Amino acid sequence: MMRAVHPTTVQPASKVGPKQTSRTVGRQYQSVFIMLMISLLLLGGIGSRLAYLQLVEGDRNKELAENNRIRLIPKQPVRGTIFDRKGRILASSRLAHTAYVWPLAQKYDTWDQTVKRLAQILNIPEADIRTPVEDAGYNSPTRVAVGRDLTEAQITAIKEYSAELQGVDVDIEHIRNYPNKQVGAHILGYTGELNAEELAERRKDGYRLGDIVGQMGVEQAYEHLLRGEWGGQQVEVNGAGQVVQILGQKQAKAGRDVTITLDLDLQKAAEQALGSRRGAIVAIDPNNGAVLAMASFPTFDPNIFSSRITPETWQKLQGQGNPFVNRALRGFPPASTFKVVTATAGLESGKYPPNTILPTFAYLRVGGMALGEWNRAGFGPMGYVGAMAWSSNTFHGQIGRGVGGEVLIDWARRYGFGSRTGIELKSEAPGLIADDEWKRRQFNWEWTVGDTINMSIGQGFTQATPLQVAVMFAVPANGGYKVRPHLVEDPSKSNSDWRESLNLKPSTLDVLRKSLRAVVTNGTGGALQSEGIPTPAGKSGTAEAPPGKAHAWFGAYAPFDKPEIVVVAFAEHSGGGGGSLAGPMVAQVMEAYFRGKNNPQP
């Protein structure tokens, strides 16, 4: 019986695998299990992250996504206009093109290229672009101004290089304009962009990065009125940064206009009279203290601050000798103009009544000092009128010595010396009326009779501003009232609200007025004898100012019987006498005032 033979399947050699055992089968299952676990872990991690982003960070991510397509375009308000007393424009706004950067639209890999190209076009340092953007934050949806008052060539270049300047655009804004250029610069001031320190101080008042604010003068003093309120738009942009639609907007509210007491024609006349002399001229209404003109030289054009100031421009300005200092508000020795105070102290004390006659000398010797008469000979016996007309040092030195330092100091302070007048300009200095306490503190030495005599002729430690001297001249002009200078009228106030009585005796006022009139008719003020000036009265002054040349002063008011204007001229280190140098400057301003009054312009 034959055995059945089963055929055997023979596999190709290439497909013959290893011999399978129970051990090798277990390893295959283990590998699958491991791969499965890894996959589950990966999927679980991704799922957890998605859940975190959706549930925990969902609102934040939504906001970021919105910011990528929704941006804010602030609309700066138009700043209020400043007018002179006759309604003529002193400061306004004009349209100009400004370059802006959208921080949120910048890409990390192209930001450096954008900065370099934009800095090249605007001709500014790269830091002037990086710093404001960094201050705003690269996630800020609000655009940042990096270049103002662009030229046509710069605007064209930004458009031509738009492919390299993603997130950069040009828009129109209002910038400050001063149509009369440097005329009235120290009164008007200028505007400028807030720096980081100023922003930190003003943020609580609603200021923001890029705000333009008043930095000096009326622009600074009345910032709260001129500023206005910001508006803006919330817009949706596409991937190219182009505005797709406006989502919402708030209209900007223009600032309030401000009318100041300055007279543009008189201001021009004052600046022309001052010319290139370093100094100041002040003109006020003696009845209420309204400032009609205030010139200071050297000066500047405030329009330069409406765009970026280059280091070269700034260096050139500083080389002109502190052009931003308003010398009408800085203290200098008032010289013989101060004799109005000395005469008042003598008359009011009762020790030297109106009929006083005193001898004058070549020198008045006190202790180790000698007060010289300016003519080096003396004038013989003199009364108040003659002594003021010829500006006798030894006459007024005897008055000062007789009344004593405390009385003289008291009257100086009653006239307003040694303290700010109260004008709105923040740069005003108080001047100096020294006393025993001050001298001991500064020099560890007591007040002496010599100090009193020096003060009696406006020398020594005494410092007065041209504006303070104008306030002093207003006292005899208006009948004994100290006025408070101001630049903006308050409709609710009358003349009496701007002044206070010094309670001078009628006899004191009579002597002062006759004395100041005699200065012009018979003394050192002959330069004011002009047909164009009705009956002026005034006083000259020449102050020693070592190591430089003497300062020249002259103050006057007119008409004598019913004064309308007080003018004070001061020339710093000019040399020459006050009557011969500063007197003609005062005459020129007064002639312009009365010429304008008699021939008013429409």
Side-chain angles (χ1 to χ4, degrees), residues 235-482:
V235 300
E236 182 180 357
V237 298
N238 58 22
Q242 298 171 330
V243 175
V244 176
Q245 63 175 323
I246 297 174
L247 302 177
Q249 65 179 337
K250 174 188 175 183
Q251 293 295 329
K253 183 179 179 181
R256 288 174 55 185
D257 296 338
V258 172
T259 298
I260 64 175
T261 60
L262 212 68
D263 184 304
L264 179 59
D265 291 333
L266 197 65
Q267 180 69 27
K268 290 179 179 179
E271 295 191 14
Q272 185 176 4
L274 188 58
S276 58
R277 300 182 187 90
R278 190 184 301 257
I281 293 179
V282 175
I284 67 172
D285 183 334
N287 301 297
N288 59 19
V291 177
L292 305 177
M294 183 182 286
S296 178
F297 187 85
T299 186
F300 63 97
D301 183 351
N303 286 299
I304 62 175
F305 293 96
S306 295
S307 56
R308 181 181 177 273
I309 298 180
T310 64
E312 294 76 18
T313 302
W314 183 255
Q315 187 175 4
K316 182 179 178 180
L317 281 169
Q318 292 300 322
Q320 296 175 359
N322 298 322
F324 303 107
V325 173
N326 187 348
R327 283 168 169 77
L329 305 180
R330 287 290 179 267
F332 304 93
S336 293
T337 62
F338 191 83
K339 289 171 181 174
V340 172
V341 176
T342 304
T344 301
L347 290 161
E348 290 290 312
S349 70
K351 291 185 177 181
Y352 300 94
N355 60 353
T356 295
I357 302 293
L358 296 176
T360 60
F361 316 96
Y363 295 94
L364 181 64
R365 299 186 182 276
V366 179
M369 70 160 288
L371 175 66
E373 196 66 84
W374 63 267
N375 70 350
R376 301 182 181 180
F379 299 96
M382 302 191 89
Y384 278 106
V385 174
M388 189 74 76
W390 289 103
S391 196
S392 171
N393 289 337
T394 58
F395 178 92
H396 291 93
Q398 291 177 78
I399 297 290
R401 180 179 62 182
V403 300
E406 290 186 2
V407 172
L408 187 60
I409 290 168
D410 176 59
W411 274 106
R413 289 175 176 166
R414 290 196 203 186
Y415 267 93
F417 293 110
S419 59
R420 294 178 176 85
T421 64
I423 194 171
E424 300 96 323
L425 306 181
K426 296 183 179 180
S427 60
E428 183 183 19
L432 175 63
I433 294 298
D435 55 18
D436 182 71
E437 181 183 353
W438 179 89
K439 189 179 178 185
R440 289 179 185 274
R441 186 171 62 251
Q442 295 293 324
F443 303 103
N444 195 28
W445 194 257
E446 65 182 359
W447 187 267
T448 66
V449 175
D451 294 324
T452 301
I453 292 177
N454 268 333
M455 177 180 282
S456 69
I457 61 168
Q459 295 279 179
F461 304 116
T462 307
Q463 299 279 315
T465 71
L467 183 60
Q468 289 173 332
V469 174
V471 170
M472 179 197 73
F473 277 107
V475 173
N478 63 30
Y481 295 91
K482 184 183 76 171

Side-chain angles (χ1 to χ4, degrees), residues 97-101 112-126 128-129 146-166 168-170 308 310:
H97 290 85
T98 297
Y100 294 93
V101 171
D112 285 342
Q113 178 184 348
T114 299
V115 172
K116 290 181 183 299
R117 177 64 69 187
L118 192 55
Q120 181 184 16
I121 294 172
L122 299 179
N123 192 27
I124 61 176
E126 292 182 14
D128 287 5
I129 299 173
V146 294
R148 288 188 161 90
D149 203 13
L150 304 186
T151 64
E152 291 294 333
Q154 290 171 328
I155 297 170
T156 302
I158 290 175
K159 292 179 180 179
E160 290 178 348
Y161 288 99
S162 59
E164 298 180 29
L165 300 174
Q166 295 294 323
V168 176
D169 63 6
V170 175
R308 181 181 177 273
T310 64

